[in-house]
């Protein structure tokens, strides 16, 4: 198998591993705080071991961006415990809307006409998701609150990406994104720890799910991602990474039998289409790929 084919398979594997987060989180009977903290604690240790190049060069910028990433990790878990997996991942995917607002303020980037189209489409998709949310007693007991947390995760994810790009402008030998992922998971662990106690006596299934989330859904997926993004062109990377929001509700439907509402599917399609369309336009008319400094949050 050629090196190019291997890199694309690594990226595909990363997207598919990230996409299993919703189903796995719902399959763990531990509390939201215990799942979020346990997952991040395991991931922080695993990534520290697997990515020695990310152990050095931590700065105050790493910590600031790490707090935004930690908030994204926690909010995603809290949202998945309260609303449907489809609503959680699609509402978090509204991050491009906030990115377009943050760009001019933080990075002094201009806003184009296509950006306004992306904002309008993402906002329409989010409205469909919020208006059409439904309660599922077993897996989505409080969709209204969960949807708000998922929207907040979109904001914090946009802040994370903006922070990574801001750090990327500071020249240095270290991998800022990898360091931020480790720091963010450490921060998330310590934030969740007080709310996670007492832990009690978790069962084998719960511990297995936590290990899977920390070792595979976060850590291994991120290692695959970093190995592939340096070689895969931006447009192909954007396309393959879109498998995460597409497959996330599919896994939950297959494993947890959670069926998203028709409006959720329609809203999600609008958001994914807008994000992809905006990415295609930028990669077509500019030579800068933002994907080298972006790591999926979940």
């Amino acid at each position: 198998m050629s090196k190019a084919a291997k890199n694309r398979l690594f990226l595909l594997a990363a997207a598919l591993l990230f996409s299993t987060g919703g189903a796995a989180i719902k399959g763990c009977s531990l509390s939201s705080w215990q799942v979020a903290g346990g997952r991040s604690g395991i991931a922080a240790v695993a990534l520290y071991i697997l990515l020695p190049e990310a152990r050095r060069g931590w700065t105050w910028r790493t910590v600031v961006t790490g707090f935004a990433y930690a908030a994204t990790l926690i909010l995603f878990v809290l949202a998945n415990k309260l609303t449907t997996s489809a609503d959680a991942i699609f509402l978090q995917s509204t991050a491009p809307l906030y990115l377009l607002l943050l760009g001019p303020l933080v990075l002094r980037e201009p806003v184009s006409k296509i950006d306004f189209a992306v904002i309008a489409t993402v906002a329409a998709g989010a409205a469909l998701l919020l208006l059409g949310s439904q309660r599922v007693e077993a897996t989505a007991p409080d969709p209204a609150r969960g949807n708000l947390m998922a929207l907040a995760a979109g904001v914090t994810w946009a802040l994370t990406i903006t922070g990574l790009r801001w750090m990327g402008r500071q020249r240095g030998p270290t991998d800022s994104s990898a360091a931020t992922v480790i720091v963010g998971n450490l921060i998330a662990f310590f934030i969740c720890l007080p709310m996670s106690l007492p832990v009690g006596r978790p069962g084998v299934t719960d511990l297995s799910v936590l290990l899977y989330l920390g070792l595979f859904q976060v850590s291994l997926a991120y290692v695959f991602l970093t190995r592939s993004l340096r070689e895969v062109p931006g447009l192909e990377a954007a396309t393959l990474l879109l498998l995460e929001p597409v497959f996330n509700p599919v896994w939950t439907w297959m494993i947890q039998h959670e069926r998203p509402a028709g409006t959720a599917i329609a809203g999600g399609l609008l958001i994914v289409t807008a994000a992809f369309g905006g990415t295609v336009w930028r990669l077509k008319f500019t030579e800068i790929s933002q994907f080298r400094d972006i790591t999926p949050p979940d």
Side-chain angles (χ1 to χ4, degrees):
M1 185 180 295
S2 67
K3 183 179 179 181
K6 287 182 180 179
N7 285 322
R8 285 162 177 80
L9 283 178
F10 281 139
L11 191 58
L12 175 63
L16 290 176
L17 283 171
F18 282 130
S19 72
T20 61
I25 290 167
K26 289 180 181 294
C28 186
S29 64
L30 297 175
S31 72
S32 303
W33 295 103
Q34 289 170 338
V35 174
R39 178 180 78 152
S40 288
I42 294 168
V45 174
L47 288 169
Y48 189 84
I49 295 171
L50 292 171
L51 301 173
E53 68 276 11
R55 301 172 191 170
R56 304 177 300 276
W58 295 7
T59 67
W60 65 271
R61 292 182 175 86
T62 310
V63 176
V64 170
T65 308
F67 268 102
Y69 184 55
T72 307
L73 292 166
I74 296 170
L75 286 167
F76 181 75
V77 174
L78 297 179
N80 265 280
K81 285 286 192 177
L82 295 172
T83 190
T84 63
S85 182
D87 282 12
I89 189 62
F90 288 138
L91 286 172
Q92 181 179 276
S93 298
T94 56
L97 189 156
Y98 316 116
L99 274 173
L100 295 176
L101 300 175
L102 286 169
L105 294 174
V106 180
L107 303 174
R108 301 294 188 266
E109 295 176 338
V111 179
S112 65
K113 293 180 180 179
I114 192 68
D115 292 333
F116 287 111
V118 171
I119 290 174
T121 307
V122 170
L128 280 175
L129 285 162
L130 293 172
L131 293 173
S133 60
Q134 60 181 6
R135 178 175 179 177
V136 181
E137 193 63 40
T139 59
D142 193 348
R145 194 153 60 99
N147 288 346
L148 289 176
M149 290 182 178
L151 276 175
V155 175
T156 56
W157 179 229
L159 289 169
T160 303
I161 296 174
T162 302
L164 287 170
R165 297 183 59 211
W166 171 53
M167 292 166 61
R169 294 184 176 184
Q170 312 297 320
R171 294 184 179 181
T174 59
D175 185 342
S176 59
S177 62
T180 302
V181 170
I182 295 175
V183 171
N185 275 289
L186 278 174
I187 293 172
F189 170 75
F190 285 111
I191 289 175
C192 294
L193 186 59
M195 278 74 73
S196 301
L197 300 175
V199 177
R201 302 180 68 178
V204 174
T205 300
D206 291 332
L207 291 176
S208 299
V209 172
L210 272 186
L211 285 172
Y212 169 77
L213 285 167
L215 294 177
F216 295 94
Q217 194 262 331
V218 175
S219 301
L220 184 60
Y222 183 79
V223 172
F224 283 159
L225 185 74
T226 55
R227 286 195 60 174
S228 57
L229 282 186
R230 294 184 179 91
E231 305 294 336
V232 180
L235 184 55
E236 289 187 57
T239 304
L240 290 172
L241 288 174
L242 281 176
L243 290 176
E244 182 197 353
V246 171
F247 272 88
N248 187 299
V250 173
W251 297 126
T252 311
W253 169 67
M254 293 175 61
I255 298 172
Q256 305 293 340
H257 308 293
E258 180 183 86
R259 295 178 179 271
T263 50
I265 296 174
L269 286 175
L270 280 176
I271 292 170
V272 170
T273 301
F276 181 67
T279 299
V280 170
W281 186 88
R282 289 184 190 86
L283 294 178
K284 184 176 180 180
F285 293 100
T286 67
E287 297 179 353
I288 301 174
S289 172
Q290 299 176 5
F291 289 93
R292 298 181 187 278
D293 289 325
I294 297 177
T295 55
D298 22 282

